Amino acid sequence: ILSENSPTPDRQGSANIEPVSANITPVDEETFKIWSSISGEQYDKNYIANMIAHHEGAIEMAKIAQSNAKHSELKDLASKIIASQKPEVDKMLNWQKEWGYPTTSGADMQDHSAMGMMNLMTSANEELKKSTGDNFDAAFIDLMIKHHQEAIDMSLPGANNAQHQEIKNLAQTIITSQTLEVEQMKQWKVDWGY
């Protein structure tokens, strides 16, 4: 998640989260610990870099779902993911420029801390492209649940560890919206016998 060259923060971030997120616990303790261990500007730089890559991966998965999913509910969710995450990517790219952070997306990429995440997403998306029908829907749901839970785990420390209020707000939005989507996808797994 973080590059080997990421500077060590000068103080440890707090693992405490705001009360609004208090009922949400991390799924991957290791991811949560990594993100809890950094704070301030270093949290913001790494969070933006990794969340841009994370969102771009989800958008690509969602585009595949728009054509390969069997259930219209998944196609609707895919459209919702694209509609919500594309503007968030645009915001984060603008923050990188505004705050003087290295570019982490596209041809201008200067910060490669998110490359591992980008490579994992490319591999997962290549596998998804080969599936259709129930096989696709089951695989997409499993991958998107895991993907959303990673974003939630990255975002949980944001309320205390982010420097900019914009990052704190985005982290809370991600926690709230993606938790609801995870709950919905888990229900679909039950409803559809996956």
Side-chain angles (χ1 to χ4, degrees), residues 2 10-11 13 20-21 24 56 62 73 78 84 93 98-99 115 123 125 129 151-152 156 162 172:
L2 304 177
D10 54 3
R11 70 175 181 86
V20 72
S21 302
I24 300 171
E56 287 174 341
E73 295 92 336
S84 66
L93 290 168
E98 195 176 311
W99 299 334
M115 287 299 292
S123 172
N125 287 342
K129 287 178 185 177
I152 292 165
L156 283 169
Q172 187 56 54

mmCIF file of all heavy atoms in Angstrom, residues 2 10-11 13 20-21 24 56 62 73 78 84 93 98-99 115 123 125 129 151-152 156 162 172:
data_model
loop_
_atom_site.group_PDB
_atom_site.id
_atom_site.type_symbol
_atom_site.label_atom_id
_atom_site.label_comp_id
_atom_site.label_asym_id
_atom_site.label_seq_id
_atom_site.Cartn_x
_atom_site.Cartn_y
_atom_site.Cartn_z
ATOM 1 N N LEU A 2 1.827 1.307 0.906
ATOM 2 C CA LEU A 2 2.732 2.438 0.944
ATOM 3 C C LEU A 2 4.031 2.022 0.279
ATOM 4 O O LEU A 2 4.444 0.873 0.367
ATOM 5 C CB LEU A 2 3.002 2.874 2.381
ATOM 6 C CG LEU A 2 1.767 3.218 3.214
ATOM 7 C CD1 LEU A 2 2.154 3.566 4.634
ATOM 8 C CD2 LEU A 2 1.001 4.355 2.596
ATOM 9 N N ASP A 10 6.554 11.698 11.752
ATOM 10 C CA ASP A 10 7.233 12.128 12.964
ATOM 11 C C ASP A 10 6.430 11.833 14.227
ATOM 12 O O ASP A 10 6.932 11.952 15.317
ATOM 13 C CB ASP A 10 7.600 13.622 12.895
ATOM 14 C CG ASP A 10 6.403 14.508 12.594
ATOM 15 O OD1 ASP A 10 5.278 13.994 12.496
ATOM 16 O OD2 ASP A 10 6.611 15.723 12.451
ATOM 17 N N ARG A 11 5.191 11.439 14.068
ATOM 18 C CA ARG A 11 4.427 11.003 15.235
ATOM 19 C C ARG A 11 3.495 9.885 14.805
ATOM 20 O O ARG A 11 3.106 9.784 13.656
ATOM 21 C CB ARG A 11 3.644 12.167 15.845
ATOM 22 C CG ARG A 11 2.493 12.656 15.007
ATOM 23 C CD ARG A 11 1.721 13.738 15.771
ATOM 24 N NE ARG A 11 0.610 14.203 14.995
ATOM 25 C CZ ARG A 11 -0.596 13.628 14.977
ATOM 26 N NH1 ARG A 11 -0.836 12.572 15.682
ATOM 27 N NH2 ARG A 11 -1.564 14.131 14.246
ATOM 28 N N GLY A 13 0.124 7.939 14.341
ATOM 29 C CA GLY A 13 -1.280 8.296 14.187
ATOM 30 C C GLY A 13 -2.120 7.532 15.189
ATOM 31 O O GLY A 13 -1.735 6.471 15.664
ATOM 32 N N VAL A 20 -18.963 8.507 14.567
ATOM 33 C CA VAL A 20 -19.829 8.147 13.455
ATOM 34 C C VAL A 20 -19.366 6.848 12.792
ATOM 35 O O VAL A 20 -20.147 6.130 12.207
ATOM 36 C CB VAL A 20 -19.930 9.305 12.428
ATOM 37 C CG1 VAL A 20 -18.641 9.454 11.648
ATOM 38 C CG2 VAL A 20 -21.104 9.122 11.514
ATOM 39 N N SER A 21 -18.080 6.515 12.928
ATOM 40 C CA SER A 21 -17.538 5.293 12.348
ATOM 41 C C SER A 21 -17.254 4.231 13.408
ATOM 42 O O SER A 21 -16.731 3.178 13.105
ATOM 43 C CB SER A 21 -16.231 5.598 11.611
ATOM 44 O OG SER A 21 -16.445 6.540 10.615
ATOM 45 N N ILE A 24 -18.025 0.526 12.924
ATOM 46 C CA ILE A 24 -17.404 -0.144 11.784
ATOM 47 C C ILE A 24 -16.002 -0.565 12.193
ATOM 48 O O ILE A 24 -15.201 0.253 12.638
ATOM 49 C CB ILE A 24 -17.358 0.773 10.550
ATOM 50 C CG1 ILE A 24 -18.785 1.178 10.162
ATOM 51 C CG2 ILE A 24 -16.643 0.093 9.394
ATOM 52 C CD1 ILE A 24 -18.860 2.243 9.112
ATOM 53 N N GLU A 56 -9.851 4.095 -9.407
ATOM 54 C CA GLU A 56 -9.718 3.807 -10.835
ATOM 55 C C GLU A 56 -9.921 2.317 -11.100
ATOM 56 O O GLU A 56 -10.533 1.932 -12.092
ATOM 57 C CB GLU A 56 -8.366 4.289 -11.352
ATOM 58 C CG GLU A 56 -8.302 5.816 -11.463
ATOM 59 C CD GLU A 56 -6.940 6.359 -11.839
ATOM 60 O OE1 GLU A 56 -5.918 5.646 -11.684
ATOM 61 O OE2 GLU A 56 -6.885 7.527 -12.277
ATOM 62 N N ALA A 62 -16.356 -1.789 -12.568
ATOM 63 C CA ALA A 62 -17.756 -1.420 -12.782
ATOM 64 C C ALA A 62 -18.095 -1.346 -14.271
ATOM 65 O O ALA A 62 -19.183 -1.759 -14.686
ATOM 66 C CB ALA A 62 -18.054 -0.091 -12.093
ATOM 67 N N GLU A 73 -29.495 -5.362 -11.045
ATOM 68 C CA GLU A 73 -29.085 -4.690 -9.809
ATOM 69 C C GLU A 73 -27.578 -4.429 -9.790
ATOM 70 O O GLU A 73 -27.131 -3.377 -9.325
ATOM 71 C CB GLU A 73 -29.472 -5.524 -8.572
ATOM 72 C CG GLU A 73 -30.967 -5.688 -8.374
ATOM 73 C CD GLU A 73 -31.548 -6.949 -9.041
ATOM 74 O OE1 GLU A 73 -30.946 -7.458 -10.011
ATOM 75 O OE2 GLU A 73 -32.601 -7.411 -8.582
ATOM 76 N N ALA A 78 -22.984 -0.824 -10.578
ATOM 77 C CA ALA A 78 -21.808 -0.444 -11.369
ATOM 78 C C ALA A 78 -21.923 1.010 -11.828
ATOM 79 O O ALA A 78 -20.960 1.779 -11.727
ATOM 80 C CB ALA A 78 -21.651 -1.384 -12.559
ATOM 81 N N SER A 84 -20.193 7.940 -8.642
ATOM 82 C CA SER A 84 -19.709 8.511 -7.384
ATOM 83 C C SER A 84 -18.186 8.591 -7.323
ATOM 84 O O SER A 84 -17.630 9.554 -6.792
ATOM 85 C CB SER A 84 -20.240 7.720 -6.187
ATOM 86 O OG SER A 84 -19.709 6.407 -6.168
ATOM 87 N N LEU A 93 -7.272 14.381 -7.652
ATOM 88 C CA LEU A 93 -6.259 14.869 -8.593
ATOM 89 C C LEU A 93 -6.073 16.378 -8.441
ATOM 90 O O LEU A 93 -4.941 16.882 -8.474
ATOM 91 C CB LEU A 93 -6.643 14.515 -10.031
ATOM 92 C CG LEU A 93 -6.556 13.033 -10.404
ATOM 93 C CD1 LEU A 93 -7.232 12.779 -11.746
ATOM 94 C CD2 LEU A 93 -5.106 12.563 -10.427
ATOM 95 N N GLU A 98 -3.249 21.232 -6.108
ATOM 96 C CA GLU A 98 -3.455 22.370 -5.202
ATOM 97 C C GLU A 98 -2.482 22.342 -4.022
ATOM 98 O O GLU A 98 -1.976 23.382 -3.602
ATOM 99 C CB GLU A 98 -4.901 22.297 -4.692
ATOM 100 C CG GLU A 98 -5.431 23.530 -4.031
ATOM 101 C CD GLU A 98 -6.901 23.341 -3.665
ATOM 102 O OE1 GLU A 98 -7.694 22.911 -4.517
ATOM 103 O OE2 GLU A 98 -7.235 23.621 -2.494
ATOM 104 N N TRP A 99 -2.207 21.142 -3.488
ATOM 105 C CA TRP A 99 -1.375 21.011 -2.295
ATOM 106 C C TRP A 99 0.083 20.681 -2.620
ATOM 107 O O TRP A 99 0.886 20.444 -1.722
ATOM 108 C CB TRP A 99 -1.966 19.951 -1.361
ATOM 109 C CG TRP A 99 -3.359 20.286 -0.888
ATOM 110 C CD1 TRP A 99 -3.926 21.528 -0.771
ATOM 111 C CD2 TRP A 99 -4.372 19.367 -0.479
ATOM 112 N NE1 TRP A 99 -5.224 21.437 -0.318
ATOM 113 C CE2 TRP A 99 -5.526 20.107 -0.128
ATOM 114 C CE3 TRP A 99 -4.433 17.976 -0.377
ATOM 115 C CZ2 TRP A 99 -6.704 19.525 0.321
ATOM 116 C CZ3 TRP A 99 -5.611 17.388 0.083
ATOM 117 C CH2 TRP A 99 -6.729 18.166 0.424
ATOM 118 N N MET A 115 1.474 1.802 -7.215
ATOM 119 C CA MET A 115 1.666 0.879 -8.336
ATOM 120 C C MET A 115 1.231 -0.546 -7.995
ATOM 121 O O MET A 115 0.642 -1.227 -8.822
ATOM 122 C CB MET A 115 3.130 0.883 -8.799
ATOM 123 C CG MET A 115 3.515 2.140 -9.549
ATOM 124 S SD MET A 115 2.568 2.421 -11.061
ATOM 125 C CE MET A 115 3.162 1.079 -12.082
ATOM 126 N N SER A 123 -4.886 -7.168 -12.858
ATOM 127 C CA SER A 123 -4.978 -8.632 -12.882
ATOM 128 C C SER A 123 -6.401 -9.098 -12.601
ATOM 129 O O SER A 123 -6.937 -9.973 -13.297
ATOM 130 C CB SER A 123 -4.003 -9.208 -11.852
ATOM 131 O OG SER A 123 -4.185 -10.582 -11.721
ATOM 132 N N ASN A 125 -9.186 -7.428 -12.993
ATOM 133 C CA ASN A 125 -10.072 -7.028 -14.087
ATOM 134 C C ASN A 125 -9.908 -7.917 -15.309
ATOM 135 O O ASN A 125 -10.884 -8.198 -16.004
ATOM 136 C CB ASN A 125 -9.851 -5.556 -14.436
ATOM 137 C CG ASN A 125 -10.422 -4.630 -13.385
ATOM 138 O OD1 ASN A 125 -11.250 -5.030 -12.573
ATOM 139 N ND2 ASN A 125 -9.968 -3.399 -13.382
ATOM 140 N N LYS A 129 -13.097 -10.000 -17.068
ATOM 141 C CA LYS A 129 -13.478 -9.856 -18.478
ATOM 142 C C LYS A 129 -13.820 -11.197 -19.121
ATOM 143 O O LYS A 129 -14.577 -11.246 -20.081
ATOM 144 C CB LYS A 129 -12.352 -9.178 -19.262
ATOM 145 C CG LYS A 129 -12.211 -7.710 -18.980
ATOM 146 C CD LYS A 129 -11.035 -7.119 -19.757
ATOM 147 C CE LYS A 129 -10.820 -5.668 -19.378
ATOM 148 N NZ LYS A 129 -9.642 -5.095 -20.059
ATOM 149 N N ALA A 151 -10.927 -0.177 0.957
ATOM 150 C CA ALA A 151 -11.098 1.281 0.977
ATOM 151 C C ALA A 151 -11.585 1.747 2.348
ATOM 152 O O ALA A 151 -11.134 2.780 2.856
ATOM 153 C CB ALA A 151 -12.071 1.723 -0.108
ATOM 154 N N ILE A 152 -12.481 0.986 2.949
ATOM 155 C CA ILE A 152 -12.982 1.322 4.288
ATOM 156 C C ILE A 152 -11.836 1.265 5.295
ATOM 157 O O ILE A 152 -11.662 2.180 6.108
ATOM 158 C CB ILE A 152 -14.145 0.381 4.682
ATOM 159 C CG1 ILE A 152 -15.364 0.658 3.799
ATOM 160 C CG2 ILE A 152 -14.483 0.538 6.175
ATOM 161 C CD1 ILE A 152 -16.434 -0.440 3.844
ATOM 162 N N LEU A 156 -10.719 4.453 7.609
ATOM 163 C CA LEU A 156 -11.079 4.531 9.029
ATOM 164 C C LEU A 156 -10.175 5.467 9.845
ATOM 165 O O LEU A 156 -10.682 6.241 10.649
ATOM 166 C CB LEU A 156 -11.129 3.139 9.652
ATOM 167 C CG LEU A 156 -12.377 2.321 9.321
ATOM 168 C CD1 LEU A 156 -12.217 0.865 9.760
ATOM 169 C CD2 LEU A 156 -13.618 2.928 9.959
ATOM 170 N N ALA A 162 -5.796 12.395 9.111
ATOM 171 C CA ALA A 162 -5.655 13.286 7.958
ATOM 172 C C ALA A 162 -5.382 14.713 8.421
ATOM 173 O O ALA A 162 -5.869 15.150 9.465
ATOM 174 C CB ALA A 162 -6.913 13.243 7.096
ATOM 175 N N GLN A 172 -14.826 9.803 5.376
ATOM 176 C CA GLN A 172 -16.115 9.475 5.990
ATOM 177 C C GLN A 172 -17.155 9.124 4.936
ATOM 178 O O GLN A 172 -17.950 8.191 5.121
ATOM 179 C CB GLN A 172 -16.614 10.622 6.872
ATOM 180 C CG GLN A 172 -17.864 10.264 7.661
ATOM 181 C CD GLN A 172 -17.661 9.019 8.515
ATOM 182 O OE1 GLN A 172 -16.741 8.935 9.309
ATOM 183 N NE2 GLN A 172 -18.518 8.019 8.337
#
